[in-house]
Amino acid sequence: METLVRTPQDIFYLPQHLVVPLFQRPYVWTEENQWEPLWQDLRRLAELRLDNPNSAATHFLGAVVLQAQENLTGTLQPRLVIDGQQRLTTLQLLMDATAAVLESRSQDNLARRLEALTHNPDYQIELDDDVLKLRHTNRDKAGYNEVMRADPPIVYADLKHAHSLLALGHKFFGERVEQWLGDAEETKFATRAQALTNVITQSLQLVVIDLRSDENSQEIFETLNARGTPLTAADLIKNFVFQRLTAEGVDTHKAYVEDWIFESSFWEKEVGVGRYFISRSSLFLNQWLTSRVGEEISPKQTFGRFKHFVEHETSLTMAELLPVLKQQAGLYRRWIDRANDSHANLDAVELSVYRLQAMELEILKPLLIWLHEPEAVYDKKVIERVVRAAESWIVRRALLRLSTPALGRVVADLVATHRNTPQAELVTRVETYLSRLNVASTYWPGDAEIKSSLATEAAYKRFKRARLRVFLEAAEDHLRGYTGSSPLAGGRVDRGRFPIEHVMPQAWETHWSVGDLAAEIDRRDHIHRLGNLTLLTEGLNSKVSNGPWLGEEGKRATVRKHDVFLLNKRIEDMSDDGWDETRIDQRTAALIDGLLTTWPVPEGHLGEIKDAPAAAVTYVSLQQLIAAGHLQPGTILRSRPGNWGEHEAVVLDGGDVKLDGQTFNTPSAAGHHVRKGATNGWHFWLLPDGRRLADVRDTYRRDTATSK
């Protein structure tokens, strides 16, 4: 057995057959979990090479196990792919798709260089089936062969296996490469194409375990995949951190004892994040990294992205960075410990941590970490206002049960966009940014939509108990004055402790009967509405809970005797002669008002989802925006955050852009000047209020479409 670190150039260059055995599982990698993270890593490495042609940065892809097979003299050497077929297949799709794009752009030499890694040369093959270096033998064979042998340009819709993951993966990489190469001038395009090809062939690394034909491949496979506990992102980062410290000449034992705080049950606890469960230390490191780089990072990308950040993006040594991690991790733990204390008097940040954790949402943590960086200058009141705005955006979407997958990307961009915003402008900028989100996957809902939706929502059935409890606790706090200027002396309600009770019981038929079928239907419709739910200091026994409302032993009298919540005092005040559907509707409206006050939006915000720009309006120039009054000459544009630093440009009277003493006739040309590569200037340049030029263009397009 031989184990070596190899690049794709090393693995695939020689004529050969890498055979995926029949017993291997089918190809299962997808865009969200593997293709997109891999592409982001490739793009990052390629752009690093463009900025620094001597860069030796690499990206580690994991391990593969190959086993030699007996072959006749003069025939291609076959090897079985014992482990790693997902990686190898994806690399082949990537290289072939990139070659197809390069060939269509007349980059024949680069295309042939990649083709030499996916296809055996004609003079080495005897049968038509021998052409591909990687060969599938299971159900993936037909789809893989079809897309890998298709002549460019590939019309994917015409493929027999167009919907297979293999064809979709090939198409994904082809589209990403096409977009990244852009429409740059010929010399720049060639440079980008060369950089990407070099990254694909030389900057990706795999550990290749090469077995002889007589070695026990099953034992190796089991050792890699079934025995022991997989390393977490925190484990990998720990190893990397202390290797760097050693190289810096630091006392690693002292650093481990004093600064590496992640070795405790608190940090080792598994935390649910979407479909994943990961250690809290790995989650924190992921969220901390997002707060630093302003990018959404999947859990599987954490180690690779951390390594790239340390090696290429921060000016801090590891000895300087580790105490920063320790300080912010300590604050992070304090937030969580305080949030878990049901009696603690929480500040706005700690309360937000409690609420969102109870709702199983980790979305906001990178923003909190960023606001509390050791070098940050934001005072407590500014931080609280920013957190309240962001929490309102998330909770209002939760009240409507809207999707959350896209919100992490928004939080990352929020951090990246506002990292250098002056303190005096931060709250307004953040509120403006969130207010302008106008697509269903990310928008900030307004009052009217929430009132309409929650008025008839069967809240008890639609929301998880912990989430519903957060809403009712917020309603109680509202009644105690915590959304006004004079909260009561008794403090907020204790959190996460109290049972949720139906005022009109779920088993209402015995003591709460009605006269006809229509009334029965109406009652069933009201039972689980928000206005019929409350918190109690202790659960009522079933006899009282399902009993009549009025009378000395009735539910109303029992609640009055044993409960102190203002929620229930309001119920008592409005139910002297009973509790019915009308009162449920009235209380629902009152509770909704309390929730909207707890989680407000900026004055005038409606939370509208905008339609796509009208197709009739296509190209828009800055001159058109100026003529229509959407943009003023003299407006200072600033570049979005990135490795290129901070740049400012000025909009001129005729619609040109002045930058660094030069005049450019489009925003994209000015962006190209800054980034030294193809740039969408409409998204690159930001107005003083934080809007992108694209936002102004979209407003112009909507106004133009409406006026027709």
Side-chain angles (χ1 to χ4, degrees):
M1 179 176 69
E2 185 179 51
T3 303
L4 293 171
V5 176
R6 299 289 197 184
T7 67
Q9 180 83 18
D10 301 327
I11 296 171
F12 297 117
Y13 182 69
L14 292 177
Q16 61 187 302
H17 282 147
L18 301 175
V19 182
V20 179
L22 188 62
F23 56 79
Q24 288 272 21
R25 67 173 176 169
Y27 184 72
V28 295
W29 279 19
T30 61
E31 175 178 347
E32 178 182 359
N33 294 325
Q34 287 90 19
W35 305 338
E36 183 64 36
L38 173 60
W39 170 251
Q40 292 301 328
D41 291 325
L42 289 169
R43 178 189 58 76
R44 194 176 298 113
L45 288 173
E47 291 175 355
L48 191 63
R49 277 184 178 254
L50 290 173
D51 293 337
N52 178 14
N54 297 319
S55 172
T58 59
H59 176 66
F60 180 62
L61 284 178
V64 298
V65 181
L66 306 176
Q67 185 168 38
Q69 300 293 292
E70 299 294 340
N71 65 301
L72 297 174
T73 302
T75 60
L76 291 178
Q77 171 65 54
R79 279 182 169 82
L80 286 184
V81 180
I82 304 302
D83 193 34
Q85 66 114 338
Q86 305 286 331
R87 293 178 177 85
L88 295 180
T89 301
T90 303
L91 283 175
Q92 290 285 292
L93 295 173
L94 165 67
M95 290 187 289
D96 191 64
T98 304
V101 174
L102 293 174
E103 183 178 331
S104 70
R105 301 291 195 88
S106 301
Q107 294 292 318
D108 295 339
N109 288 337
L110 295 178
R112 281 196 292 267
R113 181 176 162 191
L114 290 171
E115 185 181 0
L117 304 183
T118 59
H119 293 65
N120 289 309
D122 293 340
Y123 62 83
Q124 287 280 355
I125 62 177
E126 297 182 6
L127 302 174
D128 185 51
D129 200 34
D130 292 341
V131 66
L132 297 179
K133 292 191 173 182
L134 182 68
R135 302 176 67 181
H136 283 264
T137 59
N138 58 19
R139 74 184 191 194
D140 287 331
K141 178 178 179 179
Y144 179 77
N145 288 356
E146 181 183 34
V147 74
M148 290 292 291
R149 299 175 67 170
D151 293 328
I154 301 173
V155 182
Y156 292 95
D158 292 345
L159 299 178
K160 292 181 181 179
H161 304 277
H163 298 295
S164 72
L165 285 173
L166 298 152
L168 294 174
H170 196 284
K171 180 182 179 183
F172 168 84
F173 287 117
E175 290 176 345
R176 288 295 189 274
V177 169
E178 189 88 43
Q179 292 166 4
W180 186 79
L181 291 175
D183 296 320
E185 57 186 306
E186 186 176 346
T187 55
K188 296 293 185 183
F189 172 83
T191 302
R192 292 173 73 82
Q194 181 74 57
L196 182 61
T197 304
N198 288 343
V199 164
I200 293 173
T201 57
Q202 301 171 9
S203 297
L204 301 179
Q205 293 185 333
L206 299 99
V207 170
V208 179
I209 301 174
D210 240 333
L211 305 180
R212 299 188 307 272
S213 60
D214 59 347
E215 291 185 281
N216 189 332
S217 60
Q218 181 61 28
E219 183 176 327
I220 299 294
F221 180 83
E222 290 177 0
T223 301
L224 287 172
N225 293 282
R227 301 177 186 176
T229 303
L231 292 175
T232 65
D235 294 328
L236 295 170
I237 288 173
K238 174 186 173 184
N239 183 57
F240 174 70
V241 164
F242 283 93
Q243 284 184 358
R244 296 281 293 196
L245 290 174
T246 300
E248 292 172 10
V250 173
D251 183 341
T252 54
H253 177 74
K254 181 180 179 182
Y256 177 76
V257 172
E258 295 182 357
D259 292 328
W260 188 260
I261 68 172
F262 300 109
E263 314 254 331
S264 69
S265 58
F266 173 86
W267 292 107
E268 292 167 358
K269 178 180 173 63
E270 294 283 305
V271 180
V273 182
R275 300 188 300 272
Y276 302 101
F277 275 88
I278 61 176
S279 67
R280 182 176 276 136
S281 55
S282 296
L283 177 60
F284 164 75
L285 290 166
N286 176 280
Q287 294 167 336
W288 178 87
L289 192 57
T290 296
S291 77
R292 287 278 164 167
V293 302
E295 298 173 13
E296 185 180 21
I297 302 166
S298 78
K300 294 182 179 180
Q301 287 180 284
T302 303
F303 169 65
R305 192 65 185 88
F306 182 89
K307 183 172 181 287
H308 190 277
F309 170 75
V310 170
E311 292 178 338
H312 304 292
E313 295 178 56
T314 181
S315 61
L316 300 177
T317 65
M318 187 56 70
E320 295 168 333
L321 190 61
L322 187 54
V324 174
L325 271 173
K326 175 188 175 182
Q327 179 180 342
Q328 293 204 268
L331 183 59
Y332 185 93
R333 178 167 184 171
R334 173 180 166 79
W335 293 336
I336 294 173
D337 286 342
R338 293 273 294 168
N340 291 338
D341 183 347
S342 61
H343 305 290
N345 183 22
L346 305 184
D347 63 25
V349 172
E350 295 162 348
L351 183 60
S352 182
V353 170
Y354 159 71
R355 285 170 170 169
L356 295 183
Q357 284 190 168
M359 298 166 69
E360 300 179 339
L361 297 172
E362 289 284 337
I363 298 163
L364 211 53
K365 293 274 180 62
L367 179 74
L368 303 183
I369 295 169
W370 162 59
L371 290 170
H372 291 84
E373 286 178 358
E375 60 270 31
V377 296
Y378 303 123
D379 64 38
K380 185 174 182 179
K381 289 185 177 180
V382 168
I383 291 173
E384 288 183 349
R385 290 181 64 192
V386 170
V387 171
R388 286 190 178 116
E391 182 185 322
S392 168
W393 165 61
I394 293 172
V395 173
R396 280 178 172 244
R397 291 184 59 85
L399 286 167
L400 296 176
R401 298 186 295 115
L402 298 173
S403 63
T404 61
L407 304 191
R409 172 182 53 78
V410 173
V411 170
D413 191 55
L414 195 71
V415 171
T417 302
H418 298 91
R419 174 167 286 280
N420 298 314
T421 298
Q423 174 166 266
E425 302 175 18
L426 183 62
V427 175
T428 301
R429 291 276 188 89
V430 169
E431 289 179 345
T432 299
Y433 179 99
L434 295 174
S435 295
R436 290 200 170 97
L437 298 172
N438 60 7
V439 294
S441 60
T442 60
Y443 79 107
W444 192 359
D447 290 358
E449 184 180 8
I450 292 176
K451 287 181 179 181
S452 174
S453 176
L454 285 186
T456 56
E457 181 77 275
Y460 191 77
K461 286 187 173 182
R462 296 292 186 264
F463 296 110
K464 291 184 177 180
R465 297 294 175 271
R467 186 169 293 198
L468 187 56
R469 187 177 290 109
V470 167
F471 299 155
L472 292 170
E473 289 167 352
E476 174 69 18
D477 284 344
H478 168 67
L479 294 176
R480 296 185 183 195
Y482 280 90
T483 52
S485 57
S486 302
L488 301 181
R492 292 183 183 272
V493 63
D494 286 353
R495 295 165 299 279
R497 296 181 52 211
F498 302 114
I500 299 171
E501 178 76 16
H502 287 74
V503 181
M504 182 184 293
Q506 298 185 71
W508 53 268
E509 289 85 352
T510 302
H511 297 286
W512 303 67
S513 60
V514 292
D516 56 39
L517 180 60
E520 286 185 19
I521 294 172
D522 191 36
R523 179 144 297 182
R524 290 194 189 99
D525 285 344
H526 280 75
I527 284 295
H528 297 301
R529 290 186 185 176
L530 190 62
N532 194 44
L533 305 175
T534 194
L535 297 174
L536 293 179
T537 50
E538 59 183 64
L540 300 177
N541 64 51
S542 59
K543 181 179 179 180
V544 174
S545 180
N546 294 327
W549 180 244
L550 299 176
E552 293 184 5
E553 302 299 324
K555 193 171 183 177
R556 180 172 184 265
T558 304
V559 170
R560 180 173 65 245
K561 181 178 179 181
H562 296 289
D563 200 83
V564 295
F565 288 146
L566 294 181
L567 281 173
N568 300 323
K569 180 65 169 63
R570 295 295 191 275
I571 294 173
E572 182 185 342
D573 291 344
M574 63 189 297
S575 62
D576 285 338
D577 58 348
W579 186 255
D580 57 18
E581 288 77 11
T582 299
R583 289 167 174 81
I584 291 173
D585 288 340
Q586 292 170 350
R587 184 167 178 268
T588 297
L591 290 179
I592 293 172
D593 286 340
L595 298 180
L596 296 179
T597 305
T598 301
W599 292 293
V601 291
E603 185 176 355
H605 177 71
L606 300 178
E608 296 177 333
I609 304 175
K610 303 298 184 183
D611 294 329
V617 181
T618 53
Y619 178 76
V620 176
S621 67
L622 292 185
Q623 189 177 44
Q624 288 172 287
L625 298 183
I626 293 171
H630 288 277
L631 187 66
Q632 298 300 317
T635 298
I636 302 297
L637 305 176
R638 55 189 177 85
S639 60
R640 65 175 174 82
N643 296 333
W644 44 83
E646 298 181 8
H647 295 266
E648 289 188 349
V650 181
V651 177
L652 302 179
D653 290 348
D656 292 335
V657 176
K658 189 172 184 179
L659 169 68
D660 294 339
Q662 301 182 48
T663 300
F664 301 92
N665 59 7
T666 67
S668 296
H672 185 284
H673 172 75
V674 172
R675 294 187 66 233
K676 311 303 181 188
T679 302
N680 186 332
W682 294 95
H683 293 267
F684 182 76
W685 294 107
L686 308 178
L687 274 70
D689 62 6
R691 288 181 297 164
R692 302 170 304 173
L693 274 176
D695 297 326
V696 183
R697 181 179 62 182
D698 289 345
T699 300
Y700 170 81
R701 283 173 168 167
R702 287 193 297 272
D703 291 351
T704 303
T706 302
S707 65
K708 289 185 176 182

